Amino acid sequence: MSFVLSTDTSCDIYREDLKKRAIEYRPLVYTIDGVEHFDEFTRDEEYKGFYDEIRAGKMPTTSQINIMEHEEFFQSLLEKYEGDVIHITLSSGLSSTYASACSAAKTVSERTGRNVYIVDSLGATVGTRQIVDKAQELRDGGASAAEAVAALNEFAMHIHTWFMPVDLMHLKRGGRVSGPAAYIGTALNIKPILYINKVGGLSVVQKKIGAAKGMATMLDLFKRDAIDKPHKVYIPNADSEFSDEMLEKLKALRPDCDVEIGWIGPVIGAHTGCGATGVSFYSEKLREI
């Protein structure tokens, strides 16, 4: 390997698959009913069970990986492997995990004389997954760590992720939507269309009446912006009744692309609630919003 590759579990790649791909990881943490759980999901049943708890009225919370935990993780990698480390994190626009990783990497690098590079995915769930996929491609292709970091920072700005949460009452319980907006939106069947913007945060771009119109909007955006070459396309899935339909529509629209449904794990699902779906793809355009 030209460098050691690691990530946090916001990428929502099955943990067993990360091990098979020789990608080290640090699990993120979520809490339900005061009990902390490591995000170690590797089976569909685990994701479904998490969303069943939300459907039953549970309100999960999440916490970042702190500086000390990052230091311990990076130190263990340097003791286990030779060479530089590239670590890919959840978006800095969504969490302070990236800032903690940067602080820890600086301390560990100064102490050991080894390079620990931190890459901000500027995304989450399948958006982060696409950065990890690209990093593995660069690692296996023999790119140096410095070359890979430069390529990944550029690549991240070309990943466009759109998604549609459907449970406005969950967003209300989490304090992300006001009570009146949730009640009115639910009564009118309004579905917000969200975009992970150029600083890795969330922007509400449109609001559509009904899931069908919401999906049609995201498909139009994909058709408009996706690169006109075969590439990997992911559908983020919070145990959504609409993800299979999105899969079939995307395959029909772009049969040249490899389209895959990917779970939205507990760290992001704690905020979206059940039912969210969307599309994440590569574009020649930089994120503009």
Side-chain angles (χ1 to χ4, degrees):
M1 295 188 296
S2 55
F3 53 83
V4 181
L5 177 58
S6 68
T7 186
D8 60 47
T9 52
S10 67
C11 64
D12 290 323
I13 299 170
Y14 294 139
R15 312 311 171 250
E16 288 301 319
D17 288 345
L18 286 172
K19 293 173 184 176
K20 290 176 184 177
R21 294 166 60 177
I23 300 171
E24 296 283 345
Y25 67 91
R26 176 61 168 79
L28 291 165
V29 175
Y30 66 98
T31 301
I32 296 180
D33 290 340
V35 179
E36 287 191 343
H37 304 270
F38 285 110
D39 177 12
E40 286 278 11
F41 291 1
T42 200
R43 296 181 295 112
D44 291 346
E45 292 75 14
E46 292 171 297
Y47 291 94
K48 288 181 178 292
F50 170 77
Y51 286 110
D52 284 343
E53 291 196 85
I54 292 180
R55 289 189 178 96
K58 303 293 185 183
M59 192 67 219
T61 59
T62 60
S63 57
Q64 66 159 351
I65 305 171
N66 64 37
I67 295 174
M68 183 176 295
E69 290 167 334
H70 272 122
E71 282 188 27
E72 292 172 351
F73 176 66
F74 296 149
Q75 185 66 42
S76 71
L77 295 182
L78 294 179
E79 292 172 359
K80 184 176 180 180
Y81 300 101
E82 296 180 354
D84 295 336
V85 172
I86 293 179
H87 181 73
I88 299 168
T89 73
L90 174 63
S91 173
S92 61
L94 299 173
S95 168
S96 55
T97 293
Y98 168 74
S100 296
C102 288
S103 295
K106 183 174 185 294
T107 298
V108 172
S109 294
E110 289 174 349
R111 182 169 65 232
T112 63
R114 305 265 299 279
N115 292 317
V116 179
Y117 297 98
I118 308 300
V119 172
D120 184 353
S121 73
L122 294 175
T125 190
V126 296
T128 302
R129 181 174 182 171
Q130 288 176 280
I131 311 304
V132 175
D133 290 347
K134 182 65 173 180
Q136 181 184 357
E137 176 188 321
L138 292 165
R139 180 197 68 186
D140 296 349
S144 70
E147 290 170 338
V149 168
L152 292 171
N153 287 335
E154 172 68 14
F155 183 78
M157 290 299 295
H158 290 269
I159 298 298
H160 293 234
T161 303
W162 298 87
F163 70 100
M164 177 182 69
V166 300
D167 187 353
L168 299 185
M169 300 312 293
H170 177 85
L171 298 178
K172 170 190 169 293
R173 289 193 297 271
R176 299 170 192 95
V177 170
S178 70
Y183 289 117
I184 294 171
T186 299
L188 296 178
N189 197 23
I190 292 174
K191 308 302 181 189
I193 307 300
L194 278 65
Y195 180 67
I196 299 185
N197 59 37
K198 62 185 178 183
V199 294
L202 289 176
S203 295
V204 179
V205 179
Q206 299 188 42
K207 296 178 182 178
K208 296 295 178 179
I209 296 178
K213 289 184 178 179
M215 287 191 289
T217 296
M218 292 187 292
L219 289 166
D220 286 343
L221 291 163
F222 169 78
K223 186 177 180 179
R224 183 191 75 184
D225 291 338
I227 190 171
D228 189 22
K229 295 178 183 177
H231 67 288
K232 186 78 175 186
V233 178
Y234 284 107
I235 298 169
N237 169 44
D239 204 17
S240 173
E241 64 181 297
F242 305 112
S243 290
D244 286 339
E245 184 177 349
M246 281 291 290
L247 177 67
E248 294 309 312
K249 289 181 180 298
L250 282 164
K251 284 182 174 180
L253 187 63
R254 288 291 301 273
D256 61 318
C257 290
D258 181 10
V259 186
E260 180 179 336
I261 296 173
W263 283 104
I264 297 175
V267 170
I268 302 303
H271 302 282
T272 66
C274 302
T277 193
V279 62
S280 186
F281 56 90
Y282 184 84
S283 174
E284 289 183 340
K285 299 179 181 179
L286 293 171
R287 299 185 206 179
E288 297 175 349
I289 299 173

